[in-house]
Structure formats: structure tokens, C-alpha cells
Amino acid sequence: MPDTVLPFQRDLLDPEVVALVALADAAGLVPADPLSLPLAEARDAAERYHAFLNGPVLPADIREVVTDGPAGPLRLRLIRPPGASDDSRPLPVLIYFHGGGFVVNSIDTHDRLLRLLARHSGAVVCAVAYSLAPERRFPHQRGEALAALRWVVRHGAGHGLDPERIAVGGDSAGANLALGLALDAREEPGPPLSFGMLLYGMFAHDFDTESHRLFGDGRFGLTTERMRWYWRQYLGHGGITRDPGAAPLLADLRGLPALHVAAAGLDCLRDDSLRLARRLEQARIPHRLVLHDALPHSFASMTRHVRKAEEAVILAADAVRRHLQH
């Protein structure tokens, strides 16, 4: 989620981001701060702020299904590309996980992004309403991600989905889950995943990076302090911070599908993506790293207002489309 602690630095940020922040301020809307609000209030504030970011609803065919998660029902939202009919050939699938530090946000806060991804990728986006921390902690969300994949493989054909053309994607904490699912999928029976799309991911519990030193004070939104708090909610105060299940940057990356890795240039998490790209190169995994240098964390939620953010999302969606065309 975008969060503002200090005034944005106008000479580095894309001017449309600066204008968006001013517009939100004028409307009396500020990004939710779970460090200064009770968690329930912070979650409500996040929904309101993202409703402002999303604006008018984009046309799409929306369906919801429920499958069995590791400890109860798991809701999946299927967003079909505009113009896709039920009697056409089965469509590829992008299983998507929203960001929010594992603590806030929902498939509703990411509604515009999900619809844009469906429109420009040509895939049915399967958005996963995974459980939030601290009510549910690692590894519960990893189990829900795997349950979503298994539903698509076993039951997707009945909903016009092609179980042999599956990509995974996510932003921030959701990119963590998407990468984790790609790792888990190596051990699953059936066809391998076709692709992965990772936007400004939260890949390791490590704050000793140049991007945390440069941007962790909150001039561009997300702060190092907040990232430490998010990790504590996800792992628990005594969590295993170097467990590759929770921090997939530390995992054995061999055998992954090709990946599109997008980093925000003005983001304390920037180096998570840069370090992941180096590890992918070492593991000889095909990938493309794109650094969007004038954008902050959570730019994928700003597409209605910021042209460069929309272009970044379309670029990622086009990568999904190309890899799912087979």
C-alpha cells in the first residue's frame, strides 16, 4: 500500500505521482498507517484510499468460487478479459496475490489492477483472497497459494481455464507469495508453470541494503520501520527470518519458469528485486528486470492517475501474454 511519512521529493518523483498525492490530500484521504492506527481501522482506511485510487470500475466478467484452503474456505475471484466468451477455447490463467505487507489490502483494493492485467494479458486473472497476518501467519499463506494452484489445475477446465498455461504474479508481499508458489510448484504433478510476474517484491527479511538506507525514511512512501513491523506480523516476534519459505530470495531458484521482475526506483524494497535478478542469473533462469526509476512502491495501484505506472503494468501484462501464447 502507498504510505506517506515525509513530504514526497518532487525533483525525483514522476510529476503525476506528486499530483496524485496532492489530489488525495485535497480529498482528505491519506494512506493507512497500521503503526499509528488500530489494525481494523487501518484496514478500513486502506480500503477507502484504494477505492479513490481505483475510481470507476473497468468492465470485466467477474466470477467467484470457493475452494478448500489449509484451514477453511479460500475465496478466488476470476476476472475474465473483456470479450472472452464461454464457448471460446480455454484461456490461460494468471494466479495473482495482492500486496499489503501480508497485513492490509484485499482483492477489492486491487480491483483496477486485476482488471487491467486481465485486459492486457489476455488471461483470466485468478485473484486469491488469502488470509491476513497476524491472525494467520507464515506458512499459512503459502498453503493457501498452493491450494489456489491446485484448484486451477483440477477444476479450472470447468470454468474455461487452460491448466497447461498458468502464470503466477503479485505485488510486494503478493510477489513474495507468487515466487513462493513458483518454488512449490516445482514439486507438483502436472504441467509446469509457464511464467511469473513479480512487482516490487518483498523477498527477504533484510534491511541492510542500499535502498533501505536511501529510501527507508519514508520520503517516497514505504518505510523501513513499517517493513520491520510487517515482517513481525507475518512471522511472529520470534519468527525464523532466514527461512527460505518465508524469504524466497534465499531459496534454491533452479527450475523456476521465466520471470518478469519489476522494481520501483524510489522504494526501500528496490534492492530485493535487484538481488533476486542477480540470483536468477546465477541460477540461469530466463528473466527480465525492469527498473521504473521515477516511481515509488505500490505504483501498480496508481494506474488511473499516473501514466508511467499504467505503462509499467501493461509492460508486465504483455510479458504474461507472450509467455502464455503457446
Side-chain angles (χ1 to χ4, degrees), residues 79-224:
I79 301 102
R80 298 173 67 85
S85 62
D86 288 339
D87 56 358
S88 61
R89 67 187 290 255
L91 291 173
V93 189
L94 171 62
I95 301 174
Y96 195 87
F97 304 92
H98 67 81
F102 299 108
V103 177
V104 296
N105 293 344
S106 67
I107 56 179
D108 292 326
T109 62
H110 282 53
D111 181 72
R112 182 180 181 86
L113 170 60
L114 299 171
R115 292 169 187 249
L116 274 178
L117 289 171
R119 173 175 295 186
H120 291 284
S121 71
V124 176
V125 175
C126 174
V128 183
Y130 63 87
S131 300
L132 297 179
E135 294 89 341
R136 293 284 188 179
R137 289 186 162 132
F138 171 80
H140 184 84
Q141 291 82 359
R142 282 285 291 261
E144 290 181 321
L146 193 55
L149 173 62
R150 288 172 175 169
W151 181 88
V152 172
V153 170
R154 296 170 183 174
H155 305 290
H159 295 262
L161 312 182
D162 185 349
E164 296 194 359
R165 292 188 292 163
I166 302 175
V168 294
D171 61 285
S172 196
N176 177 306
L177 292 176
L179 181 55
L181 180 56
L183 293 167
D184 289 341
R186 296 177 301 186
E187 310 302 322
E188 286 289 293
L193 293 180
S194 300
F195 192 60
M197 182 198 75
L198 309 173
L199 306 179
Y200 43 82
M202 171 183 172
F203 298 129
H205 187 280
D206 183 2
F207 311 105
D208 186 23
T209 65
E210 181 184 29
S211 58
H212 273 289
R213 289 190 290 272
L214 289 174
F215 311 125
D217 60 5
R219 282 172 294 155
F220 304 107
L222 187 64
T223 69
T224 298

